[in-house]
Amino acid sequence: MGVFDKKDKENEFFELVVQDLDQIIFTGKAKAVTAYNEKGIFDILSMHENFISLINKNVTILKENGEIQTLEIDKGILRVKKNRVEIFVGIQDEV
């Protein structure tokens, strides 16, 4: 059947939700997310270990259909849990 069997194809993507305080900006399947934190650039792929990080600059999404979307952000939180990635943007410092 080739290099990937059906099970591997199913694990190629993960659920992604990007939202701010008012609305959902993106929801759907993604193949990869690239983001920045204080240590530099990093990638999230399908089946990534549970992970949480403060993020900044921008987030680049490789969508299921191959389209690439980049979102400019100031600050946010990225959380990975059980092959689901949640990104909360528009996080403000307390005054």
Side-chain angles (χ1 to χ4, degrees):
M1 193 169 159
V3 177
F4 297 105
D5 63 17
K6 185 177 180 182
K7 185 176 179 183
D8 287 333
K9 284 288 190 188
E10 291 172 1
N11 290 333
E12 185 177 1
F13 303 103
F14 55 87
E15 292 296 322
L16 174 63
V17 177
V18 181
Q19 65 185 64
D20 64 17
L21 295 173
D22 300 320
Q23 66 183 346
I24 293 176
I25 298 166
F26 175 86
T27 184
K29 290 191 180 281
K31 189 169 186 175
V33 167
T34 300
Y36 293 84
N37 63 18
E38 66 180 20
K39 297 201 178 229
I41 192 169
F42 65 94
D43 297 315
I44 302 293
L45 302 172
S46 181
M47 306 307 291
H48 195 285
E49 289 290 324
N50 292 348
F51 177 78
I52 191 164
S53 180
L54 296 173
I55 57 173
N56 55 51
K57 294 187 184 181
N58 64 50
V59 173
T60 301
I61 303 164
L62 176 55
K63 298 179 183 179
E64 182 179 27
N65 65 4
E67 181 183 332
I68 295 173
Q69 179 178 358
T70 299
L71 305 171
E72 300 295 327
I73 65 167
D74 288 325
K75 294 180 183 175
I77 298 172
L78 180 145
R79 178 175 71 175
V80 181
K81 187 173 182 182
K82 296 183 180 179
N83 213 34
R84 177 180 169 89
V85 178
E86 299 172 321
I87 300 173
F88 304 96
V89 296
I91 307 300
Q92 301 294 321
D93 289 332
E94 290 187 31
V95 183

